[in-house]
Coordinates of all heavy atoms in Angstrom, one line a residue:
V1 N 218.5 -33.7 212.0 CA 218.3 -34.5 210.9 C 218.1 -36.0 211.3 O 218.7 -36.4 212.2 CB 219.3 -34.3 209.8 CG1 220.6 -34.8 210.2 CG2 218.7 -35.0 208.5
S2 N 217.1 -36.6 210.6 CA 216.9 -38.0 210.9 C 216.9 -38.9 209.5 O 216.2 -38.4 208.5 CB 215.5 -38.3 211.5 OG 215.3 -39.7 211.7
Y3 N 217.6 -39.9 209.5 CA 217.5 -40.9 208.3 C 216.8 -42.3 208.5 O 216.9 -42.9 207.8 CB 219.0 -41.2 208.0 CG 219.8 -39.9 207.4 CD1 220.6 -39.3 208.2 CD2 219.5 -39.4 206.2 CE1 221.3 -38.2 207.8 CE2 220.2 -38.2 205.7 CZ 221.0 -37.7 206.6 OH 221.8 -36.5 206.2
D4 N 216.0 -42.2 209.7 CA 215.4 -43.4 210.1 C 213.9 -43.0 210.4 O 213.3 -43.6 211.3 CB 216.0 -44.4 211.0 CG 216.4 -43.6 212.4 OD1 215.7 -42.5 212.4 OD2 217.0 -44.0 213.2
K5 N 213.4 -42.1 209.7 CA 211.9 -41.7 209.8 C 211.6 -41.2 211.2 O 210.5 -41.6 211.7 CB 211.0 -42.9 209.4 CG 211.1 -43.3 208.0 CD 210.1 -44.5 207.7 CE 210.3 -44.9 206.3 NZ 210.2 -44.0 205.3
G6 N 212.5 -40.5 211.7 CA 212.3 -40.0 212.9 C 212.6 -40.7 214.3 O 212.3 -40.2 215.3
A7 N 213.1 -41.9 214.1 CA 213.4 -42.7 215.2 C 214.6 -42.2 216.0 O 214.6 -42.2 217.3 CB 213.8 -44.2 214.9
T8 N 215.7 -41.7 215.2 CA 216.8 -41.1 215.9 C 217.1 -39.8 215.2 O 216.8 -39.8 213.9 CB 218.0 -42.0 215.9 OG1 218.4 -42.2 214.6 CG2 217.7 -43.3 216.6
W9 N 217.7 -39.0 216.0 CA 218.1 -37.6 215.4 C 219.5 -37.3 215.6 O 220.0 -37.5 216.6 CB 217.1 -36.5 216.0 CG 215.6 -36.7 215.7 CD1 214.7 -37.4 216.5 CD2 215.0 -36.2 214.5 NE1 213.5 -37.3 215.8 CE2 213.7 -36.6 214.6 CE3 215.4 -35.4 213.5 CZ2 212.7 -36.2 213.7 CZ3 214.5 -35.0 212.5 CH2 213.1 -35.4 212.6
T10 N 220.0 -36.5 214.7 CA 221.4 -36.0 214.7 C 221.4 -34.4 214.6 O 220.9 -33.8 213.7 CB 222.3 -36.6 213.7 OG1 222.4 -38.0 213.8 CG2 223.7 -36.1 213.9
A11 N 222.0 -33.8 215.6 CA 221.9 -32.3 215.7 C 222.8 -31.8 214.5 O 224.0 -32.3 214.2 CB 222.5 -31.8 216.9
A12 N 222.4 -30.8 213.8 CA 223.1 -30.2 212.7 C 223.8 -29.0 213.2 O 223.6 -28.5 214.5 CB 222.1 -29.6 211.6
S13 N 224.9 -28.5 212.6 CA 225.7 -27.3 213.0 C 224.8 -26.0 212.8 O 224.6 -25.8 211.5 CB 227.0 -27.2 212.4 OG 227.7 -26.2 212.6
V14 N 224.5 -25.3 213.7 CA 223.8 -24.1 213.6 C 224.5 -22.8 214.0 O 224.9 -22.7 215.2 CB 222.4 -24.2 214.3 CG1 221.5 -22.9 214.1 CG2 221.6 -25.4 213.9
V15 N 224.9 -22.0 213.0 CA 225.7 -20.9 213.3 C 225.0 -19.5 213.2 O 224.3 -19.4 212.1 CB 227.1 -20.8 212.3 CG1 227.8 -19.6 212.7 CG2 227.7 -22.2 212.6
P16 N 224.8 -18.7 214.2 CA 224.2 -17.4 214.0 C 224.8 -16.6 212.8 O 226.0 -16.5 212.8 CB 224.2 -16.8 215.3 CG 224.5 -17.9 216.4 CD 225.3 -18.9 215.6
A17 N 224.0 -15.9 212.1 CA 224.4 -15.2 211.0 C 223.7 -13.9 210.8 O 223.3 -13.5 209.8 CB 224.3 -15.9 209.5
G18 N 223.5 -13.2 212.1 CA 222.7 -12.1 212.2 C 221.4 -12.2 212.9 O 221.0 -13.4 213.1
Q19 N 220.8 -11.2 213.3 CA 219.6 -11.5 214.1 C 218.4 -12.2 213.4 O 218.0 -11.7 212.3 CB 219.0 -10.1 214.4 CG 217.6 -10.2 215.3 CD 217.7 -11.1 216.5 OE1 218.6 -11.2 217.2 NE2 216.5 -11.7 216.6
G20 N 218.2 -13.4 213.9 CA 217.0 -14.2 213.2 C 217.6 -15.0 212.0 O 216.7 -15.6 211.5
H21 N 218.9 -14.9 211.6 CA 219.3 -15.7 210.5 C 220.4 -16.7 211.1 O 221.2 -16.4 212.0 CB 220.0 -14.8 209.6 CG 219.2 -13.7 209.1 ND1 218.0 -13.9 208.4 CD2 219.1 -12.3 209.3 CE1 217.4 -12.8 208.1 NE2 218.0 -11.7 208.7
F22 N 220.3 -17.9 210.6 CA 221.2 -19.0 210.9 C 221.7 -19.7 209.8 O 220.8 -20.1 208.8 CB 220.5 -19.9 212.0 CG 220.0 -19.2 213.2 CD1 218.7 -18.7 213.2 CD2 220.7 -19.2 214.3 CE1 218.2 -18.1 214.3 CE2 220.2 -18.5 215.5 CZ 218.9 -17.9 215.5
A23 N 223.0 -20.1 209.8 CA 223.6 -20.9 208.7 C 223.6 -22.3 209.3 O 224.3 -22.5 210.4 CB 225.1 -20.4 208.3
V24 N 223.1 -23.3 208.5 CA 223.0 -24.7 209.0 C 223.7 -25.7 208.2 O 223.6 -25.6 206.8 CB 221.4 -25.0 209.2 CG1 221.3 -26.4 209.9 CG2 220.7 -23.9 209.9
L25 N 224.5 -26.5 208.7 CA 225.2 -27.6 207.9 C 224.9 -28.8 208.6 O 224.9 -28.9 209.9 CB 226.7 -27.3 207.9 CG 227.0 -26.0 207.2 CD1 228.6 -25.8 207.4 CD2 226.7 -26.0 205.6
W26 N 224.8 -29.9 207.7 CA 224.7 -31.4 208.3 C 225.2 -32.3 207.3 O 225.2 -31.9 206.0 CB 223.3 -31.7 208.7 CG 222.2 -31.6 207.7 CD1 221.9 -32.8 207.0 CD2 221.4 -30.6 207.4 NE1 220.9 -32.4 206.0 CE2 220.5 -31.2 206.3 CE3 221.4 -29.3 207.7 CZ2 219.6 -30.4 205.6 CZ3 220.4 -28.5 207.1 CH2 219.5 -29.0 206.1
K27 N 225.5 -33.4 207.6 CA 226.1 -34.5 206.8 C 224.9 -35.1 205.9 O 223.9 -35.5 206.6 CB 226.9 -35.6 207.5 CG 228.4 -35.1 207.9 CD 229.0 -36.1 208.5 CE 230.4 -35.7 209.0 NZ 231.2 -36.8 209.6
N28 N 225.1 -35.2 204.7 CA 224.0 -36.1 203.9 C 224.2 -37.5 204.1 O 225.3 -38.1 204.3 CB 224.1 -35.6 202.5 CG 223.1 -34.6 202.0 OD1 222.1 -34.5 202.6 ND2 223.4 -33.9 201.0
G29 N 223.1 -38.2 203.8 CA 223.1 -39.6 204.0 C 223.4 -40.3 202.5 O 224.0 -39.6 201.5
A30 N 222.7 -41.5 202.4 CA 222.9 -42.1 201.1 C 222.1 -41.6 199.9 O 221.1 -41.0 200.2 CB 222.5 -43.6 201.3
K31 N 222.6 -41.7 198.8 CA 221.8 -41.3 197.6 C 220.6 -41.8 197.5 O 220.4 -43.0 197.7 CB 222.7 -41.5 196.4 CG 222.1 -41.0 195.0 CD 223.1 -41.2 194.0 CE 222.5 -40.6 192.6 NZ 223.5 -40.8 191.5
G32 N 219.5 -41.0 197.2 CA 218.2 -41.5 197.1 C 217.4 -41.4 198.4 O 216.3 -41.5 198.4
A33 N 218.1 -41.1 199.5 CA 217.4 -41.0 200.8 C 216.6 -39.6 200.8 O 216.9 -38.7 200.2 CB 218.3 -41.0 201.9
T34 N 215.5 -39.6 201.8 CA 214.8 -38.4 201.8 C 214.7 -38.1 203.4 O 213.8 -38.6 204.0 CB 213.4 -38.7 201.4 OG1 212.7 -39.8 202.0 CG2 213.3 -38.8 199.8
P35 N 215.7 -37.3 203.8 CA 215.8 -37.2 205.2 C 214.6 -36.3 205.9 O 213.9 -35.6 205.3 CB 217.0 -36.3 205.4 CG 217.9 -36.6 204.1 CD 216.7 -36.8 203.1
W36 N 214.3 -36.5 207.2 CA 213.5 -35.7 208.0 C 214.2 -34.7 208.6 O 215.5 -34.8 208.9 CB 212.8 -36.6 209.0 CG 211.8 -37.7 208.4 CD1 211.9 -38.4 207.3 CD2 210.6 -38.1 209.1 NE1 210.9 -39.2 207.2 CE2 210.1 -39.1 208.3 CE3 210.1 -37.9 210.4 CZ2 208.9 -39.9 208.7 CZ3 209.0 -38.6 210.7 CH2 208.4 -39.5 210.0
L37 N 213.6 -33.5 208.8 CA 214.3 -32.4 209.5 C 213.3 -31.9 210.7 O 212.1 -32.0 210.5 CB 214.4 -31.1 208.6 CG 215.4 -31.2 207.4 CD1 215.3 -30.0 206.6 CD2 216.7 -31.5 207.9
K38 N 213.9 -31.5 211.7 CA 213.3 -31.0 212.9 C 213.8 -29.6 213.3 O 215.1 -29.7 213.4 CB 213.3 -31.9 214.1 CG 212.6 -31.4 215.3 CD 212.8 -32.2 216.6 CE 212.2 -33.6 216.5 NZ 212.6 -34.4 217.7
V39 N 213.1 -28.5 213.2 CA 213.6 -27.3 213.4 C 212.9 -26.7 214.7 O 211.6 -26.8 214.8 CB 213.4 -26.3 212.2 CG1 214.0 -24.9 212.5 CG2 214.1 -27.0 211.0
T40 N 213.6 -26.0 215.5 CA 213.0 -25.2 216.7 C 213.5 -23.8 216.8 O 214.5 -23.6 216.3 CB 213.2 -25.9 218.0 OG1 214.6 -25.8 218.4 CG2 213.0 -27.5 218.0
A41 N 212.8 -22.9 217.4 CA 213.1 -21.5 217.6 C 212.5 -20.9 218.8 O 211.3 -21.4 218.9 CB 213.0 -20.7 216.2
T42 N 213.1 -20.0 219.3 CA 212.5 -19.2 220.4 C 212.7 -17.8 220.4 O 213.6 -17.4 219.7 CB 213.0 -19.8 221.7 OG1 214.3 -19.8 221.7 CG2 212.6 -21.2 222.1
D43 N 211.9 -17.1 221.1 CA 212.0 -15.5 221.1 C 211.9 -14.9 222.4 O 211.8 -15.8 223.5 CB 211.0 -14.8 220.2 CG 209.6 -15.0 220.7 OD1 209.4 -15.4 221.8 OD2 208.6 -14.5 219.9
T44 N 212.2 -13.7 222.7 CA 212.4 -13.1 224.0 C 211.0 -13.0 224.7 O 210.9 -12.6 225.8 CB 213.0 -11.7 223.9 OG1 212.3 -10.9 223.0 CG2 214.5 -11.9 223.5
L45 N 209.9 -13.1 223.9 CA 208.5 -13.0 224.5 C 208.2 -14.3 225.2 O 207.1 -14.2 225.9 CB 207.5 -12.6 223.4 CG 207.6 -11.3 222.8 CD1 206.7 -11.1 221.6 CD2 207.6 -10.1 223.8
G46 N 208.9 -15.4 224.9 CA 208.4 -16.7 225.4 C 207.8 -17.5 224.4 O 207.3 -18.6 224.6
G47 N 207.7 -17.0 223.2 CA 207.2 -17.6 222.0 C 208.1 -18.8 221.7 O 209.3 -18.6 221.7
S48 N 207.5 -19.8 221.0 CA 208.4 -20.9 220.4 C 207.8 -21.5 219.2 O 206.5 -21.5 219.1 CB 208.7 -21.9 221.6 OG 207.6 -22.6 221.9

């Protein structure tokens, strides 16, 4: 998650919740903010 339009990023807590499912938690910023998100994933075929 980024609160400065992608200049810096903070990793969220990502907990596996079954095959292909992940529970994600992160701290919210100031009220009225519109955070940016960056998500990545990979598979056993080498896809990403």
Side-chain angles (χ1 to χ4, degrees):
V1 61
S2 173
Y3 293 103
D4 54 11
K5 301 185 184 299
T8 60
W9 295 90
T10 300
S13 173
V14 179
V15 179
Q19 175 55 36
H21 305 292
F22 302 88
V24 187
L25 297 172
W26 65 89
K27 289 184 178 181
N28 260 333
K31 183 176 181 179
T34 53
W36 291 29
L37 292 179
K38 181 189 293 182
V39 181
T40 70
T42 55
D43 66 13
T44 55
L45 295 177
S48 66

